[in-house]
Amino acid sequence: MIKIYHNPRCSKSRQGLEILENSGKEFETVKYLDTIPSTEELKEVISLLNISPIDLVRKNEKIWKEEYKGKELSDSEIIKAMVGNPKLIERPIVINGNKAVIGRPPETIKEII
């Protein structure tokens, strides 16, 4: 089952959702600001994306700039920051089996569906 971590207020996330809707395939939508991923779930997503936790952080968010920017943080601390402040999680994220992409640009979603 395809899964999209989606923020309806984000234009790129809406574009990613539209790509999935137009694909005709079944998928699950997770509004991650409402249903916050657990630490374990976020670790799994990061592993599927094959990136470091810092690469999933939206570094231009106010909360990041005010509370975390310039600090030396471990991967665990970065994940904890994202779980505690899900606005920091880059979006949209689409997972299909053992493949995952960050939909920036949204067209990259087509690579895994």
Side-chain angles (χ1 to χ4, degrees):
M1 170 72 80
I2 299 170
K3 181 187 288 189
I4 180 170
Y5 288 88
H6 174 60
N7 178 349
R9 296 182 64 201
C10 171
S11 64
K12 298 292 184 204
S13 197
R14 290 192 305 271
Q15 290 171 19
L17 184 66
E18 185 178 350
I19 288 169
L20 288 177
E21 289 169 345
N22 292 336
S23 76
K25 298 187 179 185
E26 280 190 44
F27 63 93
E28 172 188 359
T29 302
V30 177
K31 293 180 182 175
Y32 68 91
L33 294 179
D34 299 331
T35 307
I36 301 168
S38 68
T39 300
E40 288 308 311
E41 190 176 355
L42 212 48
K43 284 180 181 178
E44 184 178 328
V45 167
I46 291 164
S47 174
L48 287 171
L49 288 166
N50 197 28
I51 61 174
S52 297
I54 192 66
D55 297 327
L56 193 59
V57 172
R58 295 176 56 82
K59 295 167 199 77
N60 286 327
E61 288 290 337
K62 182 179 176 184
I63 185 94
W64 181 262
K65 290 178 180 178
E66 290 178 353
E67 307 226 357
Y68 303 102
K69 187 177 180 181
K71 294 183 179 178
E72 293 234 1
L73 301 170
S74 68
D75 287 351
S76 295
E77 290 169 323
I78 293 167
I79 291 168
K80 185 177 178 183
M82 287 189 281
V83 170
N85 305 281
K87 283 174 64 172
L88 292 176
I89 301 171
E90 190 59 84
R91 62 203 178 233
I93 302 165
V94 176
I95 299 172
N96 187 1
N98 63 356
K99 298 177 191 168
V101 294
I102 298 171
R104 289 187 171 268
E107 292 73 31
T108 58
I109 294 168
K110 295 177 183 175
E111 297 170 9
I112 67 165
I113 57 172

